[in-house]
Amino acid sequence: MKSLLFLVLISVCWAEPHPDNSSLEHERIIHIQEENGPRLLVVAEQAKIFSQRGGNVTLPCKFYHEHTSTAGSGTHKIRVKWTKLTSDYLKEVDVFVAMGHHRKSYGKYQGRVFLRESSENDASLIITNIMLEDYGRYKCEVIEGLEDDTAVVALNLEGVVFPYSPRLGRYNLNFHEAQQACLDQDSIIASFDQLYEAWRSGLDWCNAGWLSDGSVQYPITKPREPCGGKNTVPGVRNYGFWDKEKSRYDVFCFTSNFNGRFYYLIHPTKLTYDEAVQACLKDGAQIAKVGQIFAAWKLLGYDRCDAGWLADGSVRYPISRPRKRCSPNEAAVRFVGFPDKKHKLYGVYCFRAYN
């Protein structure tokens, strides 16, 4: 009678939801453990990190073996991979990979990211010269042989959300045009989390706008008939997801601080739009963008009761201290409109970047 000997490697797998992350309800951490060895654990000491455009930040990530104090078993090389999560939970953007002495960064992260490596179990990622596009959630994955584990860290930026519509008027942007409109104004299309925080801070706007996940929403702090009804509760109203090519709405943009000087140009006369552009250039600057006036108003407390041209052809003025004749009821960036560029005369807001 012949006997057969089977060598069985028993592995145990289970899934658990990621804690403190309602926006990643589909995200699951998959653990793989060999029963005859300690389990690999990856830990982020902080779930959220705050920074600002132009700064440097460290996204924390360390790995351990359960019930041991060692970083790795020594049997396999450790592979560390950082990716950025997207609104489509099945897609991720590669950021950085390290294995042994090999290092590779990707896309806009090239030359700006590296591992901190303060200890043998430190997989924390340092991002330098933070960009607006860096905002979001990042996944740290550590792989050793058949074992792997992940941790997620959210990178939040200090900034301001503002509603935007072009000269053509209300509800004229498809999703891709909305993205470009924000970029043209020194900003990016806002996320739901950013709009929600703006609503909590008092943003009230009755026009629906695109968000980065492709949804269309708007924030209401003072319910009223034209905006969902006066008997409804305050909140962020959700129109749902619409066709990104055919559907047309406004957009909510997000911007952060800037490395430069925003100012109202003192000039002896009022100017047409073309004269305003040239006046800023003559002063060693450029005509300011909508995102820059909002950032100066919200983050620097900029206040001036003079309407001025901006790069998109709109005329606005920022009020941080409400007073008679200058937005008496609220602090806001006041919108005059899109006047005739050739015949209407106004002042101008300029922006001079620092090198």
Side-chain angles (χ1 to χ4, degrees), residues 249-307:
Y249 292 96
D250 292 346
V251 63
F252 289 98
C253 302
F254 172 84
T255 192
S256 186
N257 66 317
F258 45 69
N259 184 29
R261 179 192 172 208
F262 173 89
Y263 62 100
Y264 181 82
L265 180 65
I266 303 301
H267 195 273
T269 62
K270 298 297 183 182
L271 307 162
T272 66
Y273 176 80
D274 289 339
E275 290 170 342
V277 171
Q278 292 303 313
C280 287
L281 290 173
K282 188 176 180 180
D283 201 50
Q286 293 182 328
I287 188 169
K289 298 179 178 181
V290 176
Q292 291 162 346
I293 195 173
F294 272 95
W297 164 73
K298 183 70 173 181
L299 304 177
L300 302 177
Y302 195 93
D303 180 283
R304 187 158 190 117
C305 196
D306 292 291

Side-chain angles (χ1 to χ4, degrees), residues 225-246:
E225 283 303 331
C227 306
K230 64 181 180 181
N231 295 322
T232 58
V233 297
V236 178
R237 307 277 194 263
N238 189 346
Y239 275 19
F241 295 88
W242 292 80
D243 189 307
K244 291 183 177 181
E245 299 289 344
K246 298 178 181 179

Side-chain angles (χ1 to χ4, degrees), residues 82-86 91-95 109 132-139:
W82 280 90
T83 55
K84 185 180 181 185
L85 304 178
T86 68
K91 296 180 181 178
E92 298 177 8
V93 177
D94 289 338
V95 175
Y109 296 96
L132 292 176
E133 296 86 345
D134 294 340
Y135 166 86
R137 293 178 175 85
Y138 292 79
K139 184 174 76 174

